[in-house]
Amino acid sequence: MTIYFISSNPQKVKEIKELTAGRIAIQHINHEYPELQLDTIEEVARASANHIRHMKWVKTPFFIEDSGLLIHALNGFPGPFSAFVFDKIGNEGILKLMADIKDRRAVFKTVIAFCSGVNEEPRLFTGIVEGRIADSIRGSGGFGYDPIFEYEGRTFAEMSTEEKNRVSHRGRAFMEFLNHVEDSGIAVGASSGAR
Ligand code: ITT
C-alpha cells in the first residue's frame, strides 16, 4: 500500500524518502495547505491534517509533518512560528537575537500527523533532538535552520543526510511512525516489508 506525504518542501521530501526507503512506499503530493498560527507544533500538525482530510484532492492514507526549532533562552521561540520567522529574519536574525546569550540550548521537534482515512482523526508521532545554537553559520548541507543547529559539535548542515537522519527530530519521529504503520499492517504490500 502507498502512503501519501503532503508537503511543499522538497528538502523534507528528500530526507523522508531516505528515512522510509525499503520500509514503506511513499508517494509525495506537492500541495500547499494553510498552516494555522496555533500555540504548539502538535496543534498546528493536527489542524493541518484535519483540514486536508476534507479536501477534494486528498488521497489516503496520508501524513503531513510539521517541524520547528525551540530555543530555551527565548522561551521556546520560534516554535510553531519557525517557518514565518525563518522567512523574515533567517539564520542571521536568530544569531543576532542570541548575541550575548550564554544559554544556547535548543530543541528541534517534528510532529507527524497521520490519517488512515478521511473519516479518521489524525494520529500524531513526535521526535525531538536536543542541541545548541551555534555561534556562527556553519556547513552547506541540509536546509532551513540546519547551519545554526549544533549537535555534538557539528551543525546539521555539516552532516550528510544519512548522518542527520540517524539522530534528527525527523528521524526519531519517523521511527515511531514506521513502527506503527508496520505493526498495524497498514504497510503490508510496501516495496519491502523488512524492518
Ligand atoms: P511543509 O509544506 O511540509 O509544511 P515547511 O517548509 O513549511 O514545509 P515546516 O513548517 O515544518 O515546513 O518548517 C518550519 C520551518 O523550520 C521552515 O522554515 C523549515 O525550513 C524549518 N525546518 C523544518 N525542518 C527542519 C530541519 O530538519 N532542519 C532545519 N530547518 C528545518
Side-chain angles (χ1 to χ4, degrees):
M1 180 189 277
T2 297
I3 301 182
Y4 296 93
F5 170 49
I6 300 157
S7 173
S8 59
N9 182 329
Q11 288 108 326
K12 266 192 194 176
V13 178
K14 178 174 183 274
E15 286 185 12
I16 287 168
K17 287 220 161 128
E18 283 194 26
L19 279 165
T20 53
R23 290 185 67 172
I24 59 174
I26 297 273
Q27 197 173 316
H28 173 220
I29 300 179
N30 187 356
H31 214 294
E32 302 257 354
Y33 53 84
E35 265 184 29
L36 298 178
Q37 294 294 352
L38 300 169
D39 284 349
T40 65
I41 296 170
E42 284 83 352
E43 285 173 84
V44 176
R46 189 187 298 282
S48 299
N50 272 326
H51 173 86
I52 289 168
R53 75 188 167 94
H54 294 116
M55 295 293 100
K56 273 208 185 97
W57 50 264
V58 77
K59 292 181 180 171
T60 59
F62 78 88
F63 67 93
I64 53 125
E65 69 107 291
D66 205 50
S67 296
L69 177 69
L70 295 93
I71 300 175
H72 197 260
L74 305 179
N75 294 324
F77 180 84
F81 311 108
S82 292
F84 179 78
V85 169
F86 189 79
D87 285 346
K88 295 290 175 205
I89 65 171
N91 287 326
E92 291 85 359
I94 295 286
L95 290 182
K96 270 190 205 146
L97 287 177
M98 293 296 289
D100 304 326
I101 297 181
K102 290 220 163 48
D103 177 2
R104 315 233 11 130
R105 284 175 295 163
V107 168
F108 248 136
K109 184 187 263 194
T110 290
V111 179
I112 298 169
F114 171 67
C115 283
S116 49
V118 293
N119 294 320
E120 301 299 321
E121 280 285 319
R123 193 176 170 128
L124 304 188
F125 302 87
T126 302
I128 64 160
V129 58
E130 290 177 21
R132 63 184 294 284
I133 301 299
D135 296 321
S136 59
I137 289 171
R138 296 200 326 263
S140 55
F143 66 99
Y145 295 105
D146 282 344
I148 59 163
F149 186 84
E150 207 176 87
Y151 178 80
E152 294 187 346
R154 281 189 302 160
T155 68
F156 273 175
E158 291 176 313
M159 298 182 184
S160 64
T161 306
E162 194 195 346
E163 285 173 313
K164 179 185 168 187
N165 276 346
R166 223 178 288 139
V167 295
S168 77
H169 47 314
R170 184 164 295 106
R172 289 171 181 171
F174 267 86
M175 288 313 110
E176 298 287 316
F177 174 55
L178 290 173
N179 287 342
H180 169 75
V181 292
E182 287 172 353
D183 290 349
S184 60
I186 295 163
V188 170
S191 49
S192 159
R195 275 243 177 115

